Amino acid sequence: MSENLDKSNINEEGKSKSNDSEQGLEDAVEGSDEALQKIKSGSPSTQRLQRPHSSPPRFVTVEELLETAKGVTNMTIAHEIVINGDFRIKPVELPEDSLEKKVKDIVHKAFWDCLSVQLCEDPPTYDQAIKLVGEIKETLLSFLLPGHTRLRNQITEVLDLDLIKQEAENGALDISKLAEFIIGMMGTLCAPVRDEEVKKLKDIKEIVPLFRAIFSVLDLMKVDMANFAVSSIRPHLMQQSVEYERKQFQEFLEKHPNSLDFVTQWLEEAADDLMNQKYRNALPAVGEASGSGDSPRPDPVAVQNYAYLKLLKWDHLHRPFPETVLMDHSRFQEFQLQLEQLTVLGAVLLVTFSMAAPGISSRADFAEKLKMIVKILLTDMHLPSFHLEDALTTVGEKVCLEVSSCLSLCGFSPLTTDKEAVLKGQIQAMASPDNPIRRIVDSRILTFLETYLVSSHQKPLPTAPGGLGPVQTELEEVAINFVRLVNYNKMVFSPYYDAILIRDVCWVTWSEVILIKFRLKDKSSKVSLEGDESSSEV
């Protein structure tokens, strides 16, 4: 197939096809046998598989929207727990001037005032207080593990509500004694970080403020217990999260059949870039297999790797993010910002060490010191208020000062005025993304990431390209996190990528389509290719 094939011609050809039969993934592959037969029979060109028509828009009910939102929320939480090792549940803190907080404060004040009135009666009324003791009892029991039999028995015996009611009726109830037991049990069950809060409870003598403080600390303990549960289930959740996220996304896809449109466009662009060599100056070239005829044929795995690298150059303001990586949108943005900073940092260090004497450029302590100085000056590079030109002016001044100082300490002549002017000018020129040195560093960084992505399961791992030695530690840290995120995304959504690549993007040989069909049959997920009208088991 010619690499200059017009996509509009493909769409017109697709419109001429019959839509009467329902096709799933396997039908789409089998339906491509005619096109693949041309390869087998020596046809001079191949045809892209037809792209199905988008399903017409349909109205949805509020219940469907709520159910969909719940499914997406659950999938997002599970994804965060697995991907983010620092994931923590935090207590809800309402803004001071918010209506919700004002209503909450009013309701709570009314409740505690009512309790205070009941306890001040003669004789006191303990109905509301006993209900609170019951809630505290249930909360303490929820903190226990299955093996905490002794503690469970203690809580059940001391906080026996029937016995407490009888004591209250007979005027023998000692609320202070119950509160003392509750505080002691809280001290036994709480995390070390809550010891100070529990200790402060012992200094409160009035019953109503004490109960109010007890519930406040119990809320914090609930958050601690939830975070403990998250850390405990994370290893087990990782084993199930791939299937769970894929299932949740499939359910979402069945209700919103057009939810792979941006993914399809993303993969198509990656394949076109590989074939046309359109962005080889901005992104590293990845492996391609030679196809029949004069046109190169992109490898499906190479297309996916290249597509992930394109996310590091994404225009987030003007282009929608692909659906299958949307949950990690902020992470890819963070990678992009980190790499932009590393590119400028690496370029500055490269020109600096090129002009400095070999004696100081090879000193690890000086290289590390200079890197930290430049890195600190570029710390706020991601902020909209940051002006790179002004920052690089300061960087040039500081770098020249440090280089001259190190040259003097090593017995060399300091930089001349002309050399300082040249070095400052080269550093200042790094503000332009089209600067040749900055482009070279950028290309080498992306080449390193692509190589790291390909060899992530092999040892030894690739070394940093020439000139990036000073930033190798930072680069490897970004590469490890990037590859981990990409590999997890592949595990979850590879059936969808395979289906799109077979159907729309990649040209496959007769033997390859058989291998891909077997690969897809091994995946226990369901992929919809024809919107509402067809789906197939993968």
Side-chain angles (χ1 to χ4, degrees):
M1 177 180 179
S2 173
E3 65 183 34
N4 296 322
L5 179 63
D6 193 330
K7 292 183 181 179
S8 62
N9 294 335
I10 302 175
N11 295 333
E12 290 298 322
E13 180 184 356
K15 292 179 181 178
S16 66
K17 301 292 184 180
S18 172
N19 295 330
D20 295 334
S21 60
E22 296 184 354
Q23 292 186 339
L25 177 58
E26 190 168 342
D27 292 334
V29 177
E30 292 174 354
S32 66
D33 289 350
E34 179 180 357
L36 295 171
Q37 186 66 31
K38 294 181 181 180
I39 303 174
K40 188 176 180 182
S41 59
S43 175
S45 64
T46 54
Q47 299 288 330
R48 281 194 184 183
L49 303 180
Q50 66 173 357
R51 182 172 180 177
H53 300 295
S54 298
S55 301
R58 65 185 183 89
F59 293 101
V60 294
T61 64
V62 176
E63 290 76 11
E64 289 177 320
L65 288 175
L66 292 176
E67 184 179 355
T68 301
K70 180 180 179 182
V72 172
T73 301
N74 292 339
M75 181 171 61
T76 303
I77 293 175
H79 182 80
E80 283 295 317
I81 292 175
V82 173
I83 295 297
N84 186 4
D86 297 326
F87 176 82
R88 294 290 183 275
I89 299 173
K90 298 180 180 179
V92 178
E93 296 182 1
L94 301 175
E96 287 295 332
D97 297 332
S98 65
L99 177 62
E100 186 177 357
K101 180 171 176 55
K102 292 179 180 178
V103 172
K104 179 181 177 181
D105 292 342
I106 292 173
V107 173
H108 282 200
K109 184 178 184 303
F111 175 82
W112 294 113
D113 288 346
C114 179
L115 176 62
S116 179
V117 170
Q118 289 183 354
L119 295 179
C120 291
E121 293 178 356
D122 188 17
T125 302
Y126 293 105
D127 294 343
Q128 199 68 25
I130 294 175
K131 291 180 181 180
L132 294 180
V133 172
E135 292 182 19
I136 294 173
K137 175 184 177 181
E138 294 301 323
T139 302
L140 293 176
L141 290 174
S142 68
F143 294 154
L144 300 180
L145 299 177
H148 293 163
T149 306
R150 183 178 61 84
L151 293 178
R152 179 175 284 102
N153 292 336
Q154 285 184 352
I155 295 173
T156 304
E157 291 175 3
V158 177
L159 301 182
D160 186 343
L161 297 184
D162 293 334
L163 179 59
I164 293 175
K165 289 179 181 178
Q166 293 180 8
E167 292 178 348
E169 293 173 355
N170 297 323
L173 179 60
D174 189 351
I175 290 289
S176 300
K177 185 178 180 181
L178 292 178
E180 183 180 351
F181 171 80
I182 291 171
I183 294 173
M185 189 59 64
M186 290 171 63
T188 302
L189 299 176
C190 72
V193 71
R194 304 300 173 198
D195 286 342
E196 190 64 29
E197 284 91 338
V198 173
K199 184 179 179 181
K200 291 179 181 179
L201 296 176
K202 299 179 180 179
D203 299 331
I204 304 176
K205 304 303 180 182
E206 297 183 12
I207 299 300
V208 174
L210 177 59
F211 268 102
R212 193 166 188 171
I214 286 175
F215 274 95
S216 178
V217 177
L218 285 176
D219 287 340
L220 297 176
M221 292 175 62
K222 289 178 183 178
V223 174
D224 297 336
M225 180 57 67
N227 286 323
F228 171 75
V230 167
S231 62
S232 300
I233 67 173
R234 179 176 284 115
H236 308 285
L237 184 61
M238 291 183 67
Q239 302 173 5
Q240 308 295 330
S241 60
V242 172
E243 290 80 5
Y244 175 76
E245 286 191 40
R246 194 183 299 158
K247 177 183 176 182
Q248 291 291 321
F249 184 80
Q250 177 58 34
E251 293 176 358
F252 179 82
L253 184 61
E254 290 173 352
K255 297 175 182 178
H256 305 274
N258 298 330
S259 298
L260 285 174
D261 288 355
F262 295 131
V263 173
T264 302
Q265 181 183 358
W266 168 49
L267 293 175
E268 284 180 348
E269 288 182 1
D272 290 341
D273 290 351
L274 284 176
M275 289 184 292
N276 301 331
Q277 301 182 2
K278 185 175 181 180
Y279 296 113
R280 287 186 180 274
N281 292 330
L283 291 174
V286 294
E288 295 180 355
S290 298
S292 58
D294 297 330
S295 300
R297 176 172 50 82
D299 174 66
V301 176
V303 171
Q304 291 185 40
N305 290 342
Y306 195 85
Y308 285 115
L309 290 175
K310 284 176 66 67
L311 297 178
L312 300 176
K313 295 292 183 180
W314 202 262
D315 184 0
H316 298 276
L317 295 178
H318 302 97
R319 295 196 59 189
F321 217 57
E323 296 90 346
T324 52
V325 289
L326 196 56
M327 288 189 296
D328 296 309
H329 189 188
S330 60
R331 292 187 176 89
F332 280 104
Q333 281 185 301
E334 182 66 23
F335 289 145
Q336 187 170 347
L337 295 174
Q338 290 176 356
L339 291 178
E340 288 177 0
Q341 185 182 35
L342 275 180
T343 300
V344 176
L345 175 62
V348 169
L349 296 178
L350 181 60
V351 298
T352 300
F353 293 139
S354 298
M355 292 194 63
I360 68 167
S361 60
S362 59
R363 292 185 55 174
D365 56 342
F366 173 72
E368 187 65 23
K369 178 183 178 181
L370 192 62
K371 180 179 71 174
M372 292 305 300
I373 292 174
V374 178
K375 192 174 181 180
I376 291 173
L377 294 174
L378 298 176
T379 299
D380 298 330
M381 187 173 169
H382 63 284
L383 297 178
S385 59
F386 184 84
H387 297 287
L388 184 58
E389 296 84 356
D390 297 339
L392 288 177
T393 301
T394 305
V395 168
E397 297 285 347
K398 190 65 176 175
V399 165
C400 290
L401 182 63
E402 292 294 332
V403 171
S404 296
S405 176
C406 185
L407 286 172
S408 300
L409 291 175
C410 295
F412 298 100
S413 300
L415 291 176
T416 63
T417 304
D418 293 339
K419 283 189 175 182
E420 282 192 4
V422 171
L423 180 56
K424 291 177 182 179
Q426 289 184 342
I427 293 176
Q428 184 70 30
M430 299 301 170
S432 172
D434 296 326
N435 178 266
I437 299 177
R438 182 171 170 178
R439 288 175 62 87
I440 290 174
V441 173
D442 181 61
S443 177
R444 290 180 180 179
I445 287 177
L446 291 172
T447 300
F448 174 78
L449 291 177
E450 190 276 327
T451 307
Y452 211 106
L453 186 60
V454 172
S455 60
S456 58
H457 300 293
Q458 304 174 4
K459 292 183 179 181
L461 295 175
T463 57
L468 298 182
V471 295
Q472 180 170 352
T473 303
E474 292 81 2
L475 187 56
E476 287 182 349
E477 182 180 353
V478 175
I480 291 172
N481 294 328
F482 172 71
V483 170
R484 182 186 296 123
L485 187 63
V486 166
N487 287 338
Y488 182 81
N489 185 268
K490 283 184 177 181
M491 286 191 294
V492 176
F493 297 106
S494 57
Y496 302 92
Y497 300 153
D498 291 336
I500 293 171
L501 292 174
I502 291 174
R503 185 192 65 207
D504 292 335
V505 178
C506 291
W507 308 318
V508 290
T509 64
W510 183 261
S511 59
E512 286 175 329
V513 75
I514 301 300
L515 292 175
I516 294 176
K517 287 171 70 175
F518 278 111
R519 178 186 174 189
L520 295 180
K521 286 180 179 179
D522 289 339
K523 297 187 181 294
S524 57
S525 64
K526 190 177 181 184
V527 181
S528 172
L529 292 179
E530 298 286 352
D532 295 331
E533 300 185 358
S534 68
S535 61
S536 65
E537 291 291 332
V538 179

